[in-house]
């Protein structure tokens, strides 16, 4: 019997397709390595069985003949910043809430969409941290319903939490003429220790490189004691202007 994977409708990103980080996390679980990188090749469909194709350490996710995503082992090799006080991050998040939500290109995103209700969406709203040289931060207290039944957050939801915040430092300004949103093209992550549901966490994100339409950034997740639990590296792609 062939192996399949279905992404529930709740875990959408842009309208009609799955959240990129969540999808990458599901693929990473199939790969089963400590450090995994997943590339998205087309918007992942929702509520449809997708074929899992294994080739050694590589895994492909296919929708019929269409390659949706592919993943394999990697080395993250990231220098991460020291943890910051949660109060500082919370204050910045509150001050920057309108900036993040007002011009959000995908307001229904399960991770960072302002239109999702608490408990339904993850409501992670990264904001620039004043005086921190381009660093962004967000607070996240994982919901108990996103746990595995033993008090730990499902790994694919940790991947999702490590996705959207990386867009903050490299996203285009939605208030500017000719604005085009960015979408996730690739995500690599490492989960060093399980993430506890109900525990307050802090996410920090920073830019790595901007090269035309390609934007690279990273993120790190810290528990309530300021201990690094997970990290990620993302490639974002700016959508093309529509043809006139």
């Amino acid at each position: 019997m062939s192996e399949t994977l279905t992404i529930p409708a709740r875990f959408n990103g842009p309208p009609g397709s799955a959240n990129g980080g969540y999808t990458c996390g599901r693929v990473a679980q199939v790969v089963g390595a400590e450090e995994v990188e997943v590339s998205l090749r087309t918007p992942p469909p929702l509520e449809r069985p997708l074929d899992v194709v294994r080739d050694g350490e590589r895994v492909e996710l296919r929708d019929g003949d269409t390659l949706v995503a592919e993943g394999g082992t990697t080395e993250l090799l990231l220098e991460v910043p020291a943890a910051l006080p949660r109060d500082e991050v919370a204050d910045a998040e509150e001050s920057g809430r309108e900036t993040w939500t007002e011009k959000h290109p995908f307001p229904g995103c399960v991770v960072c969409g302002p239109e999702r209700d608490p408990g339904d969406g993850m409501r992670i709203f990264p904001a620039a941290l004043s005086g921190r040289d381009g660093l962004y931060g967000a607070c996240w207290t994982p919901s108990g319903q996103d746990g595995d039944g033993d008090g730990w957050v499902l790994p694919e939801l940790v991947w999702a939490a490590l996705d959207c915040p990386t867009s903050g430092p490299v996203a285009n300004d939605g208030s500017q003429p000719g604005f085009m949103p960015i979408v996730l093209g690739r995500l690599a992550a490492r989960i060093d220790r399980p993430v506890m549901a109900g525990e307050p966490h802090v996410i920090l994100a920073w830019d790595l490189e901007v090269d035309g339409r390609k934007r690279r950034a990273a993120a790190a997740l810290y528990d309530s004691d300021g201990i690094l639990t997970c990290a990620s590296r993302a490639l974002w792609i700016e959508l093309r202007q529509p043809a006139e």
Side-chain angles (χ1 to χ4, degrees):
M1 182 179 294
S2 61
E3 184 178 0
T4 63
L5 180 159
T6 301
I7 301 173
R10 177 196 166 199
F11 299 108
N12 69 282
S17 63
N19 171 265
Y22 179 88
T23 304
C24 291
R26 293 289 300 272
V27 174
Q29 290 299 103
V30 179
V31 174
E34 183 177 345
E35 296 179 302
V36 178
E37 184 170 70
V38 181
S39 297
L40 300 172
R41 301 306 186 190
T42 195
L46 298 163
E47 296 290 350
R48 187 153 75 237
L50 304 174
D51 294 321
V52 175
V53 181
R54 299 175 184 265
D55 181 12
E57 293 184 341
R58 302 290 300 176
V59 169
E60 292 184 352
L61 195 62
R62 290 188 167 273
D63 183 18
D65 294 332
T66 301
L67 178 61
V68 175
E70 53 186 337
T73 59
T74 191
E75 289 185 294
L76 206 54
L77 301 177
L78 273 179
E79 292 186 14
V80 303
L84 294 178
R86 181 178 171 85
D87 288 349
E88 177 183 347
V89 176
D91 288 345
E93 191 176 31
E94 184 62 30
S95 298
R97 182 70 54 86
E98 185 175 347
T99 299
W100 181 260
T101 61
E102 185 179 14
K103 301 292 183 180
H104 199 297
F106 308 120
C109 174
V110 68
V111 178
C112 66
E115 291 184 356
R116 300 295 288 265
D117 293 329
D120 175 41
M122 297 166 72
R123 296 181 62 82
I124 298 174
F125 304 142
L129 297 168
S130 179
R132 294 291 186 179
D133 193 24
L135 200 62
Y136 274 60
C139 297
W140 179 43
T141 301
S143 168
Q145 73 169 356
D146 294 329
D148 62 1
D150 293 319
W152 305 108
V153 179
L154 294 168
E156 55 265 36
L157 295 179
V158 177
W159 274 70
L162 291 168
D163 162 20
C164 294
T166 62
S167 71
V170 294
N172 296 321
D173 185 345
S175 66
Q176 297 300 308
F179 164 77
M180 291 300 294
I182 59 176
V183 294
L184 186 69
R186 184 179 303 134
L187 187 64
R190 180 185 68 242
I191 299 178
D192 291 325
R193 59 180 66 199
V195 175
M196 182 177 292
E199 179 179 352
H201 289 74
V202 164
I203 302 170
L204 299 180
W206 60 98
D207 71 290
L208 296 174
E209 180 186 34
V210 175
D211 180 16
R213 293 173 51 239
K214 296 180 179 180
R215 318 291 175 83
R216 293 177 173 84
L221 178 66
Y222 306 84
D223 66 15
S224 58
D225 293 321
I227 296 173
L228 176 69
T229 63
C230 317
S232 68
R233 180 185 65 233
L235 168 66
W236 292 84
I237 306 295
E238 179 185 329
L239 296 179
R240 296 185 184 275
Q241 293 282 353
E244 296 184 359

